[in-house]
Amino acid sequence: MSRMVNKIPCMTLLEARDLYRETLQKKFSIGEIDFYFKSLMTDSFQREPTQLALEPESELEPREVLLIQEAATKLLKDYPLQYITGTVHFRTLKLKVDPRVLIPRPETEELVDWIVEDFGKRTDDSKDILDMGTGSGCIAIALAKENTQFTVSALDQEQPILDLAQENALNNGVQIHFFQQDLLQLDSLKRSFDILVSNPPYVMRKEQELMQPNVLDHEPHQALFVPDEDPLVFYRAILKFASLHLNSEGIIYFEINPLLIDELRFLIQQFDYTISERMDIFGKVRMLRLKKKVTWKRFKRKS
Ligand code: GLN
């Protein structure tokens, strides 16, 4: 590593990868390190993922070397990779993320999957959807992208979050109606929806000790945590909102904390829904679908 330009070492791709393995192996597995390296190549430098194998001797630019060094320091301090590259891949989307928003999880891709599956084959009229607590916009944007029947609105509590979500919508070529609302102080709206979807905060403070530092120390707590004494506070608010703003054959999709499933069933029983549950890839009950019960009145014969 003797070659230098303006005090920045010159490096080939292969040298940089080897340096990464050497620097990071005290904390991460080789598999993880190679994944981090490849993500930087593709998401931060827009290089082809195959370049390391095909042109290992190709030189990195000085700004790339600098960024790679900075990224290694941050990774060693548990800074999440997705905030370093500023990118997350969510279903077919490439989304920008930063510490304003939670990094979208694979479980949430599965929630979108459920909705797309339920409506994918229908070609009838359009559906009005509201994503409640949209963060990066991942759910709303994926839905709008994957089914043109969906007219999607999305809310979150702070304008800077909505700005990021809006940027993501534009970059992915979809139109979403974003608006600022606090989930816990929802104003009544003049309109109603066919589908409500939400991945609200649901981690209890008492779970904190089991959480990884990359999540706990860097992701927004307001998007993660709920008070131990009232962990369903967001679900209750959404169910109340639904009583006024969900159409008669409406459906609600929730991502949930598997630890709270019994309490959730109990809460939902107080409203008029048929519940279906779905597990995530890790085998945990992670999603709920609530369908409004069809009221008896509709079947009564006219006399
Ligand atoms: N699934 C996320 C996690 O485990 C939490 C998401 C949420 O609170 N809605 O970190």
Side-chain angles (χ1 to χ4, degrees):
M1 220 64 64
S2 53
R3 298 161 294 134
M4 307 273 263
V5 175
N6 295 335
K7 300 211 175 116
I8 301 170
C10 296
M11 245 182 256
T12 66
L13 270 181
L14 188 63
E15 282 170 341
R17 201 281 313 271
D18 289 346
L19 182 73
Y20 246 52
R21 287 188 174 177
E22 203 182 300
T23 324
L24 297 179
Q25 70 178 357
K26 54 179 171 249
K27 194 172 173 90
F28 304 103
S29 69
I30 289 289
E32 283 171 314
I33 299 168
D34 287 356
F35 174 73
Y36 294 157
F37 189 76
K38 199 179 242 177
S39 299
L40 285 165
M41 291 297 113
T42 54
D43 292 332
S44 298
F45 308 150
Q46 274 71 50
R47 288 176 179 264
E48 289 298 319
T50 47
Q51 202 185 11
L52 178 66
L54 299 179
E55 302 166 52
E57 302 305 327
S58 109
E59 287 277 334
L60 286 168
E61 291 168 27
R63 66 163 188 99
E64 293 176 320
V65 176
L66 265 184
L67 212 141
I68 275 196
Q69 289 173 331
E70 276 167 26
T73 312
K74 287 180 177 171
L75 288 166
L76 287 171
K77 288 184 187 154
D78 297 305
Y79 200 67
L81 171 78
Q82 294 89 337
Y83 288 158
I84 296 174
T85 60
T87 306
V88 74
H89 298 271
F90 184 87
R91 297 181 68 86
T92 63
L93 312 172
K94 190 170 165 183
L95 300 171
K96 180 172 162 184
V97 285
D98 65 29
R100 276 176 282 182
V101 297
L102 200 73
I103 297 165
R105 310 284 202 264
E107 300 91 289
T108 311
E109 293 184 276
E110 294 183 82
L111 183 69
V112 172
D113 213 40
W114 199 356
I115 306 173
V116 169
E117 216 178 276
D118 281 354
F119 290 89
K121 290 174 198 78
R122 300 191 197 174
T123 49
D124 54 3
D125 46 282
S126 73
K127 297 283 172 223
D128 271 320
I129 304 188
L130 177 62
D131 175 18
M132 305 180 77
T134 196
S136 63
C138 60
I139 297 176
I141 299 167
L143 288 171
K145 187 99 196 167
E146 292 183 44
N147 192 332
T148 47
Q149 254 180 283
F150 294 155
T151 307
V152 188
S153 304
L155 63 87
D156 215 307
Q157 64 178 349
E158 286 166 17
Q159 195 53 46
I161 296 175
L162 293 170
D163 292 343
L164 180 61
Q166 177 67 274
E167 197 181 328
N168 280 326
L170 286 175
N171 289 343
N172 285 282
V174 295
Q175 237 187 344
I176 312 276
H177 172 233
F178 290 105
F179 59 101
Q180 192 179 353
Q181 282 269 302
D182 182 342
L183 269 182
L184 298 182
Q185 295 173 23
L186 289 164
D187 296 335
S188 78
L189 304 177
K190 287 206 181 67
R191 50 182 300 208
S192 55
F193 299 89
D194 303 304
I195 301 168
L196 300 178
V197 54
S198 187
N199 171 24
Y202 59 61
V203 181
M204 291 175 281
R205 282 283 169 190
K206 62 183 177 199
E207 295 177 71
Q208 200 167 314
E209 61 200 52
L210 298 174
M211 289 167 74
Q212 298 297 323
N214 59 333
V215 177
L216 197 56
D217 298 344
H218 301 287
E219 293 199 73
H221 283 195
Q222 62 180 24
L224 283 169
F225 288 111
V226 282
D228 286 357
E229 62 284 0
D230 191 10
L232 303 186
V233 58
F234 289 101
Y235 297 93
R236 198 177 318 105
I238 294 168
L239 288 164
K240 281 189 186 154
F241 176 87
S243 311
L244 297 172
H245 296 290
L246 186 64
N247 291 337
S248 56
E249 284 176 36
I251 308 182
I252 307 176
Y253 295 86
F254 280 140
E255 182 172 318
I256 65 158
N257 183 339
L259 297 174
L260 293 167
I261 181 67
D262 292 337
E263 289 92 325
L264 271 161
R265 284 192 197 116
F266 185 75
L267 170 71
I268 294 161
Q269 268 165 25
Q270 298 159 39
F271 296 80
D272 228 10
Y273 295 103
T274 327
I275 312 181
S276 320
E277 302 172 2
R278 212 181 239 207
M279 286 189 215
D280 63 18
I281 24 164
F282 308 108
K284 296 189 169 172
V285 181
R286 181 71 66 183
M287 291 156 269
L288 296 182
R289 180 180 65 192
L290 317 185
K291 284 191 176 175
K292 259 197 177 174
K293 282 188 184 152
V294 179
T295 48
W296 167 241
K297 225 170 32 207
R298 297 185 55 209
F299 294 115
K300 266 194 185 164
R301 281 210 203 153
K302 284 186 190 148
S303 49

